[in-house]
Amino acid sequence: MPLFNGILSPLDQKEMMRYAGLPKLKEFPEEEILDTIREMTALAEPRGMWDSFSYDPLQQKIMAPSPLTIKGNSIRHHLEECLTVAVLAVTVGEEVEKKITQYFADGHYTRGLLLDAAATASVEHLADQLNRYIEEKVTGQGKVCTWRFSPGYGDWPVTQQASLCSLLETEKIGIHVTAYSMLTPRKSVTAVIGVSDCPVRRRPKNCSACRMTSCAFR
């Protein structure tokens, strides 16, 4: 499987505060935010991997050596024009996870919250980097990509997380799946990108494409 060693660029402070649930808090000490970002950068171990596979949209099946049938109408609709998919996984490593846990255990809740938000923003940034890399390769072949779609989006069961990780052998970059279908380290992402010969839906500009109406980010 091709590996991807991304680079964490300076984080967007507004994005970080959005993940912290404090997007409108204007009087928060900026130095505290900047210090958390520096700590996040020092602790991060950005790693990623990906591969491409043929895809049968009628059977909703990724034609890997061990074929994977993906479930749900959301992912079916998302990939209906695609005959190839790229599967990706990224993580910022476990050291930042340990530090977040330590902060909360020691009662440093604000710092723990900020570092958790910085780690979330970082892994999303890393996933976007790999997404762009894949899209550039695909565009060079005269094809187009869908936006990345992860287990848990829409009605795609998060329980298929383990199957995606098995397909990529994500343990090679330290990503594992718990019995409850959660990724470890927690700040990790898996996703599928559809590849098509014809125009497909682009990434939505807001949350309107997601059915999780109770999500805090709305």
Side-chain angles (χ1 to χ4, degrees):
M1 303 291 176
L3 299 179
F4 178 79
N5 295 316
I7 299 174
L8 293 182
S9 301
L11 293 181
D12 184 326
Q13 294 184 37
K14 291 183 179 180
E15 188 72 357
M16 172 182 161
M17 295 303 283
R18 184 174 76 89
Y19 283 121
L22 305 170
K24 298 181 181 180
L25 189 61
K26 298 180 179 180
E27 298 181 0
F28 199 91
E30 184 176 13
E31 186 55 37
E32 181 80 10
I33 297 173
L34 293 176
D35 193 44
T36 302
I37 290 174
R38 287 191 287 268
E39 183 176 27
M40 174 63 222
T41 303
L43 291 170
E45 300 172 297
R47 288 169 289 184
M49 63 194 313
W50 70 283
D51 209 345
S52 60
F53 305 91
S54 296
Y55 177 71
D56 183 340
L58 296 179
Q59 299 185 67
Q60 288 186 233
K61 185 175 292 186
I62 298 176
M63 307 306 291
S66 297
L68 169 61
T69 300
I70 49 182
K71 304 172 183 178
N73 290 321
S74 298
I75 188 67
R76 176 189 60 77
H77 184 60
H78 190 69
L79 300 176
E80 62 186 355
E81 302 292 340
C82 303
L83 297 178
T84 304
V85 294
V87 183
L88 66 88
V90 295
T91 184
V92 291
E94 62 181 354
E95 290 305 312
V96 66
E97 192 72 34
K98 292 178 181 177
K99 195 64 176 180
I100 292 168
T101 301
Q102 180 184 329
Y103 276 136
F104 280 110
D106 293 343
H108 301 307
Y109 302 116
T110 299
R111 190 52 174 258
L113 175 66
L114 289 178
L115 188 57
D116 186 90
T120 299
S122 294
V123 76
E124 289 294 329
H125 173 72
L126 191 61
D128 287 341
Q129 263 189 62
L130 182 48
N131 195 148
R132 287 193 298 270
Y133 174 77
I134 294 170
E135 189 163 351
E136 287 171 4
K137 291 181 69 69
V138 165
T139 301
Q141 299 169 358
K143 300 179 186 295
V144 291
C145 286
T146 66
W147 51 281
R148 58 184 172 89
F149 205 95
S150 296
Y153 286 11
D155 64 351
W156 187 9
V158 72
T159 52
Q160 291 209 286
Q161 197 86 263
S163 298
L164 282 188
C165 287
S166 177
L167 187 154
L168 282 181
E169 300 179 351
T170 58
E171 68 274 7
K172 293 180 179 178
I173 59 170
I175 298 177
H176 302 273
V177 186
T178 72
Y180 298 98
S181 301
M182 301 298 292
L183 296 176
T184 60
R186 191 165 52 90
K187 301 306 180 180
S188 304
V189 169
T190 63
V192 168
I193 299 170
V195 180
S196 176
D197 293 319
C198 57
V200 293
R201 291 172 302 280
R202 306 303 296 168
R203 186 185 182 97
K205 295 181 179 179
N206 51 45
C207 298
S208 61
C210 181
R211 297 181 181 180
M212 295 180 66
T213 55
S214 61
C215 176
F217 293 121
R218 284 182 179 269

